[in-house]
Amino acid sequence: MTDAFKTPVFLITGASSGIGAAVAHTIAHHCPTARLALTGRDTHKLQTVANTLANLEAAPLLLTGDVTNPSTSTAWVTQTLTAFGRLDCLVNNAGVCGSIGLVQEVSPQMIDRMIDTNLKGPLYLMQAALSQAMVAQQSGTIININSVAGITAYPYWAVYDASKFGLRALTEAVAEEQRGNNIRVMGIYPAAVDTPLWQSIDPNHTPDKGGMLTPQHVADAVWYTWQQPAHCHIKELILSALNPSV
């Protein structure tokens, strides 16, 4: 059995809450020997998640910083390699969404925030993971948590749609580039998920969450795609609620 399956090393962005925290818990549940590097902007929130992962054999590495800064991506991968010696799976999960509305109403600052976080952030991390670890290893998996907004463009969400369509293109192109290096690049496309992201869309309105997916649904999809045999490449996985409310 290879080290990648005995003690796999995961780097998970946006791990302080929501989907990222659920992914960390799911990996810890299925594979207590895993090594986890968890990233986020809030040290306290990351530590709170880490305190609930007591079944892991090794304490998770907690990394704070701004995912939109390319030097942060380089540093995170470097620190992961220093701590654990390799990187087997990058889970690009960090993402943001601004208030919905007509495209002419979106501020330049919000455009930058969504494009920088949802598209450039995963790009920088993929570059760092590939150049610093996975190509040399001749193995690795990159899982990009996208959205159904990366498949279908929704009106009033135009900039968010654009960031997610861009991430889909990036995922598909890099998947083809890295086949020869035995590196799998995959996209997961969930419909509406009950996460704190909805507060940033409209703080004064709480949508009906009864028909939403949960973070655990997405985390289970991450584990499913990761644990496939190395020669099996699930290019994309689309998740939707049976009776959606949004």
Coordinates of all heavy atoms in Angstrom, one line a residue, residues 118-201:
N118 N -13.0 33.1 -6.1 CA -13.6 31.9 -6.7 C -12.8 31.3 -7.9 O -13.0 30.1 -8.2 CB -15.0 32.2 -7.1 CG -15.9 32.6 -6.0 OD1 -15.6 32.5 -4.8 ND2 -17.1 33.2 -6.3
L119 N -12.0 32.2 -8.5 CA -11.3 31.7 -9.7 C -9.8 31.8 -9.5 O -9.1 30.8 -9.7 CB -11.7 32.5 -11.0 CG -11.0 32.2 -12.3 CD1 -11.2 30.7 -12.6 CD2 -11.5 33.1 -13.4
K120 N -9.3 33.0 -9.2 CA -7.9 33.1 -9.1 C -7.3 32.4 -7.9 O -6.2 31.8 -7.9 CB -7.5 34.6 -9.0 CG -7.8 35.3 -10.4 CD -7.8 36.8 -10.2 CE -6.4 37.4 -10.0 NZ -6.4 38.9 -10.0
G121 N -8.1 32.3 -6.8 CA -7.6 31.6 -5.6 C -7.3 30.1 -5.9 O -6.2 29.6 -5.7
P122 N -8.3 29.4 -6.5 CA -8.1 28.0 -6.9 C -6.9 27.9 -7.9 O -6.1 26.9 -7.8 CB -9.4 27.5 -7.5 CG -10.4 28.4 -6.8 CD -9.7 29.7 -6.6
L123 N -6.8 28.8 -8.8 CA -5.8 28.8 -9.8 C -4.4 28.8 -9.1 O -3.5 28.0 -9.4 CB -5.9 29.9 -10.8 CG -4.8 30.2 -11.8 CD1 -4.5 29.0 -12.6 CD2 -5.1 31.4 -12.7
Y124 N -4.2 29.8 -8.2 CA -2.9 29.9 -7.5 C -2.6 28.7 -6.8 O -1.4 28.2 -6.8 CB -3.0 31.1 -6.6 CG -3.1 32.5 -7.2 CD1 -3.9 33.5 -6.6 CD2 -2.6 32.7 -8.5 CE1 -4.0 34.7 -7.2 CE2 -2.7 34.0 -9.1 CZ -3.4 35.0 -8.4 OH -3.6 36.2 -9.0
L125 N -3.6 28.1 -6.1 CA -3.3 26.9 -5.3 C -3.0 25.7 -6.2 O -2.1 24.8 -5.9 CB -4.5 26.5 -4.4 CG -4.4 27.3 -3.1 CD1 -5.8 27.5 -2.5 CD2 -3.5 26.6 -2.1
M126 N -3.7 25.6 -7.3 CA -3.4 24.5 -8.3 C -1.9 24.6 -8.8 O -1.2 23.6 -8.9 CB -4.4 24.5 -9.4 CG -5.8 24.1 -9.0 SD -7.0 24.3 -10.3 CE -6.6 23.0 -11.5
Q127 N -1.5 25.9 -9.1 CA -0.2 26.1 -9.6 C 0.8 25.6 -8.5 O 1.8 25.0 -8.8 CB 0.0 27.6 -9.9 CG -0.6 28.0 -11.2 CD -0.4 29.5 -11.5 OE1 -0.5 30.3 -10.6 NE2 -0.1 29.8 -12.7
A128 N 0.6 26.0 -7.3 CA 1.5 25.7 -6.2 C 1.6 24.2 -5.9 O 2.6 23.6 -5.8 CB 1.1 26.5 -4.9
A129 N 0.4 23.6 -5.9 CA 0.3 22.1 -5.6 C 1.0 21.3 -6.7 O 1.8 20.4 -6.4 CB -1.1 21.7 -5.5
L130 N 0.8 21.7 -8.0 CA 1.4 21.0 -9.1 C 2.9 21.2 -9.1 O 3.7 20.3 -9.2 CB 0.8 21.5 -10.4 CG -0.7 21.0 -10.6 CD1 -1.3 21.8 -11.7 CD2 -0.8 19.5 -10.8
S131 N 3.3 22.5 -9.1 CA 4.8 22.8 -9.2 C 5.6 22.4 -8.1 O 6.8 22.0 -8.2 CB 5.0 24.3 -9.5 OG 4.5 25.0 -8.4
Q132 N 5.1 22.4 -6.9 CA 5.9 22.1 -5.7 C 5.8 20.7 -5.2 O 6.6 20.2 -4.5 CB 5.4 23.0 -4.5 CG 5.7 24.5 -4.7 CD 5.2 25.4 -3.6 OE1 4.3 26.2 -3.8 NE2 5.7 25.1 -2.4
A133 N 4.7 19.9 -5.7 CA 4.5 18.6 -5.1 C 4.1 17.6 -6.1 O 4.8 16.6 -6.4 CB 3.5 18.7 -4.0
M134 N 2.9 17.7 -6.7 CA 2.3 16.6 -7.4 C 3.0 16.2 -8.7 O 3.1 15.0 -9.0 CB 0.8 17.0 -7.7 CG 0.0 17.1 -6.4 SD -1.8 17.4 -6.8 CE -2.5 17.5 -5.2
V135 N 3.5 17.1 -9.5 CA 4.2 16.7 -10.7 C 5.5 15.9 -10.3 O 5.7 14.8 -10.9 CB 4.6 17.9 -11.5 CG1 5.5 17.5 -12.7 CG2 3.4 18.6 -12.1
A136 N 6.2 16.3 -9.3 CA 7.4 15.5 -8.9 C 7.0 14.2 -8.3 O 7.7 13.2 -8.5 CB 8.2 16.3 -7.8
Q137 N 5.9 14.1 -7.6 CA 5.4 12.8 -7.1 C 4.9 11.9 -8.2 O 4.8 10.7 -8.0 CB 4.2 13.1 -6.1 CG 4.6 13.8 -4.8 CD 3.4 14.2 -4.0 OE1 3.5 14.9 -3.0 NE2 2.2 13.9 -4.5
Q138 N 4.5 12.5 -9.3 CA 3.8 11.8 -10.4 C 2.5 11.1 -9.8 O 2.1 10.0 -10.2 CB 4.7 10.7 -11.0 CG 5.7 11.3 -11.9 CD 5.1 11.9 -13.2 OE1 4.7 11.2 -14.1 NE2 5.1 13.2 -13.3
S139 N 1.8 11.9 -9.0 CA 0.5 11.5 -8.4 C -0.1 12.6 -7.7 O 0.5 13.6 -7.3 CB 0.7 10.3 -7.4 OG 1.4 10.7 -6.3
G140 N -1.4 12.5 -7.5 CA -2.2 13.6 -6.8 C -3.6 13.7 -7.3 O -3.9 13.3 -8.4
T141 N -4.4 14.3 -6.5 CA -5.8 14.6 -6.8 C -6.1 16.0 -6.5 O -5.8 16.5 -5.4 CB -6.8 13.6 -6.1 OG1 -6.5 12.3 -6.5 CG2 -8.2 14.0 -6.4
I142 N -6.8 16.8 -7.4 CA -7.2 18.1 -7.1 C -8.8 18.1 -7.3 O -9.3 17.7 -8.3 CB -6.6 19.1 -8.1 CG1 -5.1 19.2 -7.8 CG2 -7.2 20.5 -7.8 CD1 -4.4 20.1 -8.8
I143 N -9.5 18.5 -6.2 CA -10.9 18.5 -6.3 C -11.4 19.9 -6.1 O -11.1 20.6 -5.0 CB -11.5 17.6 -5.1 CG1 -11.1 16.2 -5.3 CG2 -13.1 17.7 -5.2 CD1 -11.5 15.2 -4.2
N144 N -12.0 20.5 -7.1 CA -12.5 21.9 -7.1 C -14.0 21.8 -6.7 O -14.8 21.3 -7.5 CB -12.2 22.6 -8.4 CG -10.7 22.8 -8.6 OD1 -10.0 23.0 -7.7 ND2 -10.3 22.8 -9.9
I145 N -14.3 22.4 -5.6 CA -15.7 22.6 -5.2 C -16.3 23.7 -6.0 O -16.0 24.9 -5.7 CB -15.9 22.8 -3.7 CG1 -15.2 21.7 -2.9 CG2 -17.4 22.7 -3.4 CD1 -15.6 20.3 -3.2
N146 N -17.1 23.5 -7.0 CA -17.7 24.5 -7.8 C -19.1 24.7 -7.4 O -19.5 24.8 -6.3 CB -17.5 24.1 -9.3 CG -17.6 25.2 -10.3 OD1 -18.4 26.1 -10.2 ND2 -16.6 25.3 -11.2
S147 N -20.0 24.9 -8.4 CA -21.4 25.1 -8.2 C -22.2 24.8 -9.4 O -21.6 24.9 -10.5 CB -21.6 26.6 -7.8 OG -23.0 27.0 -7.9
V148 N -23.5 24.6 -9.3 CA -24.3 24.4 -10.6 C -24.3 25.7 -11.4 O -24.6 25.7 -12.5 CB -25.7 24.0 -10.3 CG1 -25.7 22.5 -9.8 CG2 -26.4 24.9 -9.3
A149 N -23.9 26.8 -10.7 CA -23.7 28.1 -11.4 C -22.5 28.1 -12.3 O -22.3 29.0 -13.1 CB -23.6 29.3 -10.4
G150 N -21.7 27.0 -12.3 CA -20.6 26.8 -13.2 C -21.0 26.0 -14.4 O -20.3 25.8 -15.3
I151 N -22.3 25.6 -14.4 CA -22.9 24.8 -15.5 C -24.0 25.5 -16.2 O -24.2 25.5 -17.4 CB -23.3 23.4 -15.0 CG1 -22.1 22.6 -14.5 CG2 -24.1 22.6 -16.1 CD1 -22.5 21.3 -13.8
T152 N -24.8 26.2 -15.4 CA -26.0 27.0 -15.9 C -25.9 28.4 -15.4 O -25.7 28.6 -14.2 CB -27.3 26.4 -15.3 OG1 -27.4 25.0 -15.8 CG2 -28.5 27.2 -15.8
A153 N -26.0 29.4 -16.2 CA -25.9 30.8 -15.8 C -27.2 31.2 -15.3 O -28.2 31.1 -16.0 CB -25.4 31.6 -17.0
Y154 N -27.2 31.8 -14.1 CA -28.4 32.3 -13.5 C -28.5 33.8 -13.5 O -27.5 34.5 -13.2 CB -28.5 31.8 -12.0 CG -28.6 30.3 -11.9 CD1 -27.5 29.5 -11.8 CD2 -29.9 29.7 -11.9 CE1 -27.6 28.1 -11.7 CE2 -30.0 28.3 -11.8 CZ -28.8 27.5 -11.7 OH -28.9 26.2 -11.6
P155 N -29.6 34.4 -14.0 CA -29.7 35.8 -14.0 C -29.6 36.4 -12.6 O -30.0 35.7 -11.6 CB -31.1 36.1 -14.6 CG -31.8 34.8 -14.4 CD -30.8 33.7 -14.5
Y156 N -29.1 37.6 -12.5 CA -28.9 38.3 -11.2 C -27.7 37.8 -10.4 O -27.4 38.3 -9.4 CB -30.1 38.3 -10.3 CG -31.4 38.8 -11.1 CD1 -32.4 37.9 -11.5 CD2 -31.5 40.1 -11.5 CE1 -33.5 38.3 -12.2 CE2 -32.6 40.6 -12.2 CZ -33.6 39.7 -12.5 OH -34.7 40.1 -13.3
W157 N -27.1 36.7 -11.0 CA -25.8 36.2 -10.3 C -24.7 36.2 -11.3 O -23.8 35.4 -11.3 CB -26.1 34.7 -10.0 CG -27.2 34.4 -9.0 CD1 -28.5 34.6 -9.1 CD2 -27.0 33.9 -7.6 NE1 -29.2 34.2 -8.0 CE2 -28.3 33.8 -7.0 CE3 -25.9 33.5 -6.9 CZ2 -28.5 33.3 -5.7 CZ3 -26.1 33.1 -5.6 CH2 -27.3 33.0 -5.0
A158 N -24.7 37.2 -12.3 CA -23.8 37.1 -13.4 C -22.3 37.0 -13.1 O -21.6 36.2 -13.7 CB -24.0 38.4 -14.3
V159 N -21.9 37.8 -12.1 CA -20.4 37.8 -11.8 C -20.1 36.5 -11.1 O -19.0 35.8 -11.4 CB -20.0 39.0 -11.0 CG1 -18.5 38.9 -10.6 CG2 -20.3 40.3 -11.7
Y160 N -20.9 36.0 -10.2 CA -20.7 34.7 -9.6 C -20.7 33.6 -10.6 O -19.8 32.7 -10.6 CB -21.8 34.5 -8.5 CG -21.7 33.2 -7.7 CD1 -20.8 33.1 -6.7 CD2 -22.5 32.1 -8.0 CE1 -20.6 31.9 -6.0 CE2 -22.4 30.9 -7.3 CZ -21.4 30.9 -6.3 OH -21.3 29.7 -5.5
D161 N -21.7 33.7 -11.5 CA -21.7 32.7 -12.7 C -20.4 32.7 -13.4 O -19.8 31.6 -13.7 CB -22.8 33.0 -13.7 CG -24.2 32.9 -13.1 OD1 -24.4 32.2 -12.1 OD2 -25.1 33.5 -13.7
A162 N -19.9 33.9 -13.7 CA -18.6 34.0 -14.5 C -17.5 33.4 -13.7 O -16.6 32.7 -14.3 CB -18.4 35.5 -14.8
S163 N -17.4 33.6 -12.4 CA -16.3 33.0 -11.7 C -16.4 31.5 -11.6 O -15.3 30.8 -11.7 CB -16.3 33.6 -10.2 OG -17.4 33.1 -9.5
K164 N -17.6 31.0 -11.6 CA -17.7 29.5 -11.5 C -17.6 28.9 -12.9 O -17.0 27.7 -13.0 CB -19.1 29.2 -10.9 CG -19.2 29.6 -9.4 CD -18.1 28.9 -8.6 CE -18.3 29.2 -7.1 NZ -17.3 28.5 -6.2
F165 N -18.0 29.5 -14.0 CA -17.8 29.0 -15.3 C -16.3 29.0 -15.6 O -15.7 28.1 -16.2 CB -18.5 29.9 -16.4 CG -19.8 29.3 -16.8 CD1 -20.9 29.5 -16.0 CD2 -20.0 28.7 -18.0 CE1 -22.2 29.0 -16.4 CE2 -21.2 28.2 -18.4 CZ -22.3 28.4 -17.6
G166 N -15.6 30.0 -15.1 CA -14.1 30.1 -15.3 C -13.5 28.9 -14.5 O -12.5 28.3 -15.1
L167 N -13.9 28.6 -13.3 CA -13.3 27.5 -12.6 C -13.6 26.2 -13.3 O -12.7 25.3 -13.3 CB -13.9 27.5 -11.2 CG -13.4 26.4 -10.2 CD1 -11.9 26.5 -10.1 CD2 -14.1 26.5 -8.9
R168 N -14.8 26.1 -13.9 CA -15.0 24.8 -14.6 C -14.1 24.7 -15.8 O -13.5 23.6 -16.0 CB -16.5 24.8 -15.1 CG -16.8 23.5 -15.9 CD -18.2 23.6 -16.5 NE -18.6 22.3 -17.0 CZ -19.7 22.1 -17.7 NH1 -20.5 23.1 -18.0 NH2 -20.0 20.9 -18.2
A169 N -13.8 25.8 -16.6 CA -12.9 25.7 -17.7 C -11.5 25.4 -17.2 O -10.8 24.6 -17.8 CB -12.9 27.1 -18.4
L170 N -11.1 26.0 -16.1 CA -9.8 25.7 -15.5 C -9.7 24.3 -15.1 O -8.6 23.6 -15.4 CB -9.6 26.6 -14.3 CG -8.3 26.5 -13.6 CD1 -7.1 27.0 -14.4 CD2 -8.3 27.3 -12.2
T171 N -10.7 23.7 -14.5 CA -10.7 22.3 -14.0 C -10.5 21.4 -15.2 O -9.7 20.5 -15.2 CB -12.0 22.0 -13.3 OG1 -12.1 22.9 -12.1 CG2 -12.0 20.6 -12.8
E172 N -11.3 21.6 -16.2 CA -11.3 20.7 -17.4 C -10.0 20.8 -18.2 O -9.4 19.8 -18.6 CB -12.5 21.0 -18.3 CG -13.8 20.7 -17.7 CD -15.0 21.0 -18.6 OE1 -14.8 21.5 -19.7 OE2 -16.2 20.8 -18.2
A173 N -9.4 22.0 -18.3 CA -8.2 22.2 -19.1 C -7.0 21.5 -18.3 O -6.2 20.8 -18.9 CB -7.9 23.6 -19.3
V174 N -6.9 21.8 -17.0 CA -5.8 21.2 -16.2 C -5.9 19.7 -16.1 O -4.9 19.0 -16.1 CB -5.7 21.9 -14.9 CG1 -4.6 21.4 -14.0 CG2 -5.5 23.4 -15.0
A175 N -7.2 19.2 -16.1 CA -7.3 17.8 -16.0 C -6.7 17.1 -17.2 O -6.0 16.1 -17.1 CB -8.8 17.4 -16.0
E176 N -6.8 17.7 -18.4 CA -6.2 17.2 -19.6 C -4.7 17.4 -19.6 O -4.0 16.5 -20.0 CB -6.8 17.8 -20.8 CG -8.3 17.5 -21.0 CD -8.6 16.0 -21.0 OE1 -7.8 15.2 -21.7 OE2 -9.5 15.5 -20.3
E177 N -4.3 18.5 -19.1 CA -2.8 18.8 -19.0 C -2.1 17.8 -18.1 O -0.9 17.4 -18.4 CB -2.6 20.2 -18.5 CG -3.0 21.3 -19.4 CD -2.8 22.7 -18.7 OE1 -2.3 22.7 -17.6 OE2 -3.1 23.7 -19.4
Q178 N -2.7 17.3 -17.1 CA -2.0 16.6 -16.0 C -2.3 15.0 -16.1 O -1.7 14.3 -15.3 CB -2.4 17.1 -14.6 CG -2.0 18.5 -14.4 CD -0.5 18.7 -14.5 OE1 0.3 17.9 -14.2 NE2 -0.1 19.9 -15.1
R179 N -3.0 14.6 -17.1 CA -3.3 13.1 -17.2 C -1.9 12.4 -17.2 O -1.8 11.3 -16.6 CB -4.1 12.8 -18.4 CG -5.5 13.1 -18.3 CD -6.2 12.7 -19.6 NE -7.7 13.0 -19.6 CZ -8.6 12.2 -19.1 NH1 -8.3 11.0 -18.6 NH2 -9.9 12.6 -19.1
G180 N -1.0 12.9 -18.0 CA 0.3 12.2 -18.2 C 1.1 12.1 -16.9 O 2.1 11.3 -16.9
N181 N 0.8 13.0 -16.0 CA 1.5 13.0 -14.7 C 0.8 12.2 -13.6 O 1.1 12.3 -12.4 CB 1.7 14.4 -14.2 CG 2.7 15.2 -15.1 OD1 3.7 14.6 -15.4 ND2 2.4 16.4 -15.3
N182 N -0.3 11.4 -14.0 CA -1.1 10.6 -13.1 C -1.8 11.5 -12.0 O -1.9 11.0 -10.9 CB -0.2 9.5 -12.5 CG 0.4 8.6 -13.5 OD1 -0.2 8.1 -14.4 ND2 1.7 8.4 -13.4
I183 N -2.2 12.7 -12.4 CA -2.8 13.6 -11.5 C -4.3 13.8 -12.0 O -4.5 14.1 -13.1 CB -2.1 14.9 -11.5 CG1 -0.7 14.8 -10.9 CG2 -2.9 16.0 -10.6 CD1 0.2 16.0 -11.1
R184 N -5.2 13.5 -11.1 CA -6.6 13.7 -11.4 C -7.1 15.1 -10.9 O -6.8 15.5 -9.8 CB -7.4 12.6 -10.6 CG -7.0 11.2 -10.9 CD -7.8 10.2 -10.1 NE -7.7 10.4 -8.6 CZ -8.3 9.6 -7.7 NH1 -9.0 8.6 -8.1 NH2 -8.1 9.8 -6.4
V185 N -7.8 15.7 -11.8 CA -8.4 17.0 -11.5 C -9.9 16.9 -11.7 O -10.3 16.6 -12.8 CB -7.8 18.1 -12.4 CG1 -8.3 19.5 -11.9 CG2 -6.3 18.1 -12.2
M186 N -10.7 17.2 -10.7 CA -12.1 16.9 -10.7 C -12.9 18.1 -10.3 O -12.4 18.9 -9.5 CB -12.4 15.8 -9.8 CG -11.5 14.6 -9.9 SD -11.9 13.3 -8.6 CE -10.7 12.0 -9.1
G187 N -14.1 18.2 -10.7 CA -15.0 19.3 -10.3 C -16.3 18.7 -9.7 O -16.8 17.7 -10.2
I188 N -16.7 19.3 -8.5 CA -17.9 18.9 -7.9 C -18.9 20.1 -8.0 O -18.5 21.2 -7.6 CB -17.7 18.5 -6.4 CG1 -16.9 17.2 -6.4 CG2 -19.1 18.3 -5.7 CD1 -16.6 16.6 -5.0
Y189 N -20.1 19.9 -8.5 CA -21.0 21.0 -8.8 C -22.3 20.8 -8.0 O -23.3 20.3 -8.4 CB -21.3 21.0 -10.3 CG -20.1 21.2 -11.1 CD1 -19.3 20.1 -11.4 CD2 -19.7 22.4 -11.6 CE1 -18.1 20.3 -12.2 CE2 -18.6 22.6 -12.4 CZ -17.8 21.5 -12.7 OH -16.7 21.7 -13.4
P190 N -22.3 21.3 -6.7 CA -23.5 21.2 -5.9 C -24.5 22.3 -6.2 O -24.2 23.5 -6.6 CB -23.0 21.3 -4.5 CG -21.8 22.1 -4.6 CD -21.2 21.9 -5.9
A191 N -25.8 22.0 -6.1 CA -26.9 23.0 -6.1 C -26.8 23.7 -4.7 O -25.8 23.6 -4.0 CB -28.2 22.4 -6.4
A192 N -27.8 24.5 -4.4 CA -27.8 25.3 -3.2 C -27.5 24.4 -2.0 O -28.1 23.4 -1.8 CB -29.2 25.9 -3.0
V193 N -26.5 24.9 -1.2 CA -26.1 24.2 0.0 C -26.3 25.1 1.2 O -26.1 26.3 1.2 CB -24.6 23.8 0.0 CG1 -24.2 23.1 1.2 CG2 -24.3 23.0 -1.3
D194 N -26.8 24.6 2.3 CA -27.1 25.3 3.5 C -25.7 25.7 4.2 O -25.2 24.9 5.1 CB -28.0 24.5 4.5 CG -28.3 25.3 5.7 OD1 -27.9 26.4 5.9 OD2 -29.0 24.7 6.6
T195 N -25.2 26.8 3.9 CA -23.9 27.3 4.5 C -24.0 28.7 4.8 O -25.0 29.4 4.4 CB -22.7 27.1 3.5 OG1 -22.9 28.1 2.4 CG2 -22.7 25.7 2.9
P196 N -23.0 29.3 5.6 CA -23.1 30.7 5.9 C -23.0 31.6 4.7 O -23.3 32.9 4.9 CB -21.8 30.9 6.8 CG -21.6 29.5 7.4 CD -22.0 28.6 6.3
L197 N -22.7 31.1 3.5 CA -22.6 32.0 2.3 C -23.9 32.8 2.1 O -23.9 33.9 1.6 CB -22.3 31.1 1.1 CG -22.2 31.8 -0.2 CD1 -21.0 31.2 -1.0 CD2 -23.4 31.7 -1.1
W198 N -25.1 32.2 2.5 CA -26.3 32.9 2.2 C -26.5 34.2 2.9 O -27.2 35.1 2.5 CB -27.5 31.9 2.5 CG -27.6 30.8 1.6 CD1 -27.0 29.5 1.7 CD2 -28.1 30.8 0.2 NE1 -27.2 28.7 0.6 CE2 -27.9 29.5 -0.3 CE3 -28.8 31.7 -0.5 CZ2 -28.3 29.2 -1.6 CZ3 -29.2 31.4 -1.8 CH2 -28.9 30.1 -2.3
Q199 N -25.8 34.3 4.1 CA -25.9 35.6 4.8 C -25.2 36.7 4.0 O -25.6 37.9 4.1 CB -25.2 35.4 6.1 CG -26.0 34.7 7.2 CD -27.3 35.3 7.5 OE1 -27.4 36.5 7.8 NE2 -28.4 34.6 7.4
S200 N -24.2 36.4 3.2 CA -23.6 37.5 2.4 C -24.4 37.9 1.2 O -24.2 38.9 0.6 CB -22.2 37.0 1.9 OG -22.3 35.9 1.0
I201 N -25.4 37.0 0.8 CA -26.2 37.3 -0.4 C -27.3 38.3 0.0 O -27.6 39.3 -0.7 CB -26.8 36.0 -1.0 CG1 -25.7 35.1 -1.4 CG2 -27.8 36.3 -2.1 CD1 -26.1 33.7 -1.9

